[in-house]
Amino acid sequence: FISLSLQASEGVTFIGPDTHAIQAMGDKIESKLLAKNAKVNTIPGFDGVVKDADEAVRIAREIGYPVMIKASAGGGGKGMRIAWDDEETREGFRFSSQEAASSFGDDRLLIEKFIDNPRHIEIQVCIIIINNYKHGNALWLNERECSIQRRNQKVVEEAPSTFLDPETRRAMGEQAVALAKAVKYSSAGTVEFLVDSSKNFYFLEMNTRLQVEHPVTECITGLDLVQEMIRVAKGYPLRHKQADIPINGWAIECRVYAEDPYKSFGLPSIGKLSQYQEPLHVPSVRVDSGIQQGSDISIYYDPMISKLITYGSNRAEALKRMEEALDNYVIRGVAHNISLLREVIIHPHFVQGDISTKFLPEVYPDGFKGHKLTDLERRELLATAASLYVAEQLRSQKFLGTPRIPVAQSKRSTWDLSVRLGDGIYPVAVSKDGSSFSVEVDGMKLNVTSKWNLASPLLSVTIDGTQRTIQRLSRNASGDTSIQFLGTV
């Protein structure tokens, strides 16, 4: 805040809201009071600072369990605990205070009613206020659904939401703008809400910045939010009216992290990106990243690798493109969460829009264990691996289409292989006929046809008439041979 004041005194314009708005909305206690005064729906709770554990228990009993204990200066899921009884309230007060002091240098806490099985839906706003007068238009740019979370941090976002109807969307948008006006907000920002199963919505917090998930809003509205922020900072009026803001198509964003998804749905991983290839060849894909092959993922920064965004004319199309994009994203050298992301977007509950902020612990009560192969997928994976291995062996014998050693070679056409998959080793018999392979797995025969493109790392494979696109055989950081197929490695 001091630097912002110095910039202003030197005639430098900060692209974003002023210090008043940042401070007011950055404090959960003050922001909740401002929201109430602006007639914004708020979660029932205690608006003051909780002094000690005894007072926390008294307040929790008055509100009624369950309650949420939250750090006033918190963010990113830090300093938050759910309490279902007095003992958990005392324990939550102690741990939240310690975490808040460590993370934010501010141990103040508030307590509010915990909304069970909520959706996390937020409204993007863009507003300009000059000399206390509205200049141009205050806009709400539709919603984003951010309910897929782990440890209160977002993992998958989409726009629009499958849950909102036009009336609820409009009510949320109007309340979001009312709050922005009340705090004299001048820039792009986001007002976050919790929405229950009856579509009652409650103010959660306001983020006074451009958020990670802003690309999905850009996809469905056609607005460049960064450009709008620059124009607002310059003092230009907004060029659009509320009636001009569309919902065109559907957009999905997956946060790709350097995390091990098998540990608490994602604990950070560090290392060097020995191989890195973004799936930009897939249509309607956007990748926002700040790394490249050879980059180091260290302990000093957030483990996010990129934001992967897909767009479609409808949700099914956007999801199908996301599935393809995740399948063709190559990351080697660090653990990553692509396997978890892929399982989420194809899960029947997610596809149907039946989600809440409890999605991950409810769907995976024992933690994420990875994709469980069906018998058909296992046979296809073994057949593909064996066919690729034989094809690679045959290709290695030639140079520019000519045998490396100009001597007669035996024409081998059958191979008996052992393929390791997970903890098992499977016998696979391969026979070659022209450009096709006949592969026998578990007593069943599959016909595999592959098409090599030397300019691309992708391989088109047809198995019994069904076409797949997979990654070629590659060497990972440890030198082990692996292939990527159906999102699994």
Side-chain angles (χ1 to χ4, degrees):
F1 298 135
I2 294 175
S3 64
L4 292 186
S5 300
L6 289 174
Q7 288 175 4
S9 66
E10 293 296 325
V12 177
T13 301
F14 176 71
I15 300 176
D18 62 16
T19 55
H20 165 70
I22 295 174
Q23 287 176 319
M25 293 294 99
D27 187 301
K28 284 185 170 58
I29 294 175
E30 184 177 354
S31 66
K32 189 173 181 180
L33 292 172
L34 283 167
K36 277 188 174 181
N37 292 334
K39 309 300 182 185
V40 176
N41 301 344
T42 56
I43 300 173
F46 179 69
D47 297 330
V49 178
V50 183
K51 296 177 182 178
D52 52 38
D54 289 335
E55 185 177 36
V57 170
R58 178 182 61 78
I59 293 169
R61 288 175 177 176
E62 290 177 356
I63 296 172
Y65 288 109
V67 296
M68 174 71 83
I69 303 170
K70 301 169 67 174
S72 177
K78 294 183 173 63
M80 298 175 63
R81 295 291 189 283
I82 301 169
W84 295 81
D85 54 37
D86 292 354
E87 183 179 351
E88 289 186 358
T89 299
R90 293 182 184 279
E91 185 179 84
F93 179 88
R94 178 165 61 89
F95 283 118
S96 291
S97 298
Q98 293 172 352
E99 189 172 21
S102 173
S103 299
F104 313 113
D106 183 346
D107 64 356
R108 293 177 302 143
L109 302 177
L110 67 143
I111 298 179
E112 59 190 21
K113 181 70 175 178
F114 175 65
I115 309 299
D116 201 14
N117 290 320
R119 289 172 177 260
H120 186 131
I121 300 177
E122 58 193 28
I123 301 291
Q124 177 75 58
V125 297
C126 191
I127 184 170
I128 179 168
I129 296 178
I130 298 179
N131 296 328
N132 296 329
Y133 291 96
K134 182 162 68 72
H135 187 65
N137 302 98
L139 302 174
W140 49 273
L141 308 178
N142 303 313
E143 80 279 5
R144 297 186 290 256
E145 171 106 30
C146 309
S147 297
I148 306 300
Q149 304 179 1
R150 48 98 177 92
R151 299 189 299 279
N152 297 307
Q153 292 178 315
K154 304 165 188 174
V155 180
V156 179
E157 299 105 345
E158 62 182 305
S161 168
T162 61
F163 189 61
L164 295 192
D165 54 59
E167 291 75 21
T168 307
R169 177 179 295 115
R170 185 183 310 109
M172 293 177 70
E174 290 173 351
Q175 288 197 18
V177 166
L179 177 60
K181 288 180 178 179
V183 76
K184 296 180 173 61
Y185 196 90
S186 187
S187 190
T190 302
V191 181
E192 301 190 353
F193 295 92
L194 290 181
V195 185
D196 68 18
S197 58
S198 299
K199 297 183 181 176
N200 300 307
F201 58 91
Y202 306 95
F203 170 70
L204 182 62
E205 64 179 347
M206 183 176 187
N207 283 292
T208 56
R209 53 181 169 79
L210 194 67
Q211 285 192 279
V212 170
E213 58 270 28
H214 80 274
V216 294
T217 296
E218 293 184 335
C219 285
I220 68 166
T221 62
L223 271 66
D224 185 328
L225 293 180
V226 175
Q227 183 184 44
E228 296 302 323
M229 290 181 71
I230 295 172
R231 285 178 54 84
V232 168
K234 187 64 177 176
Y236 294 134
L238 299 179
R239 297 170 291 179
H240 307 278
K241 297 179 181 179
Q242 190 62 54
D244 299 331
I245 306 303
I247 298 181
N248 287 331
W250 213 284
I252 312 284
E253 176 178 294
C254 286
R255 300 191 184 193
V256 179
Y257 282 101
E259 291 181 337
D260 185 347
Y262 305 103
K263 298 178 180 178
S264 300
F265 299 111
L267 292 183
S269 171
I270 61 173
K272 184 184 291 291
L273 290 169
S274 58
Q275 188 176 358
Y276 182 76
Q277 181 180 334
E278 297 172 348
L280 295 175
H281 61 281
V282 178
S284 299
V285 167
R286 168 176 169 176
V287 184
D288 290 7
S289 65
I291 48 86
Q292 60 186 358
Q293 188 163 305
S295 294
D296 285 310
I297 306 296
S298 74
I299 62 173
Y300 301 107
Y301 302 99
D302 188 277
M304 184 184 294
I305 292 175
S306 72
K307 302 181 293 183
L308 178 63
I309 305 101
T310 58
Y311 174 79
S313 59
N314 52 52
R315 189 169 186 260
E317 188 175 278
L319 284 174
K320 186 63 179 176
R321 286 174 175 165
M322 179 59 74
E323 186 179 342
E324 186 178 357
L326 290 169
D327 281 351
N328 290 288
Y329 207 142
V330 180
I331 302 174
R332 299 280 191 271
V334 296
H336 54 78
N337 68 332
I338 285 180
S339 57
L340 173 62
L341 295 172
R342 195 183 189 286
E343 288 302 298
V344 167
I345 66 164
I346 65 172
H347 193 279
H349 288 181
F350 183 84
V351 173
Q352 295 163 11
D354 179 17
I355 60 177
S356 74
T357 56
K358 289 185 174 181
F359 179 89
L360 288 178
E362 286 181 348
V363 171
Y364 308 105
D366 299 322
F368 180 64
K369 305 298 183 182
H371 179 73
K372 186 176 181 180
L373 294 173
T374 65
D375 287 340
L376 175 61
E377 288 174 338
R378 179 178 57 81
R379 286 192 293 268
E380 287 186 345
L381 183 57
L382 291 169
T384 303
S387 300
L388 286 173
Y389 174 79
V390 170
E392 183 75 5
Q393 294 298 307
L394 294 174
R395 288 180 72 250
S396 67
Q397 297 175 10
K398 296 181 178 295
F399 179 72
L400 295 179
T402 304
R404 291 181 177 179
I405 304 175
V407 295
Q409 299 185 16
S410 60
K411 292 184 178 180
R412 185 177 179 183
S413 59
T414 60
W415 293 262
D416 291 319
L417 307 174
S418 294
V419 181
R420 182 187 297 276
L421 176 60
D423 296 328
I425 298 178
Y426 301 87
V428 179
V430 181
S431 59
K432 188 175 186 303
D433 181 16
S435 62
S436 300
F437 297 94
S438 177
V439 185
E440 185 173 333
V441 183
D442 295 342
M444 297 183 63
K445 287 190 176 182
L446 297 97
N447 297 309
V448 181
T449 302
S450 60
K451 295 180 180 179
W452 291 90
N453 179 358
L454 297 178
S456 169
L458 303 177
L459 176 66
S460 176
V461 175
T462 302
I463 303 174
D464 283 349
T466 302
Q467 185 171 335
R468 312 286 193 196
T469 300
I470 65 173
Q471 298 293 330
R472 282 188 192 164
L473 285 169
S474 60
R475 295 284 175 177
N476 62 22
S478 64
D480 298 326
T481 301
S482 61
I483 64 169
Q484 187 171 354
F485 180 78
L486 292 176
T488 61
V489 175

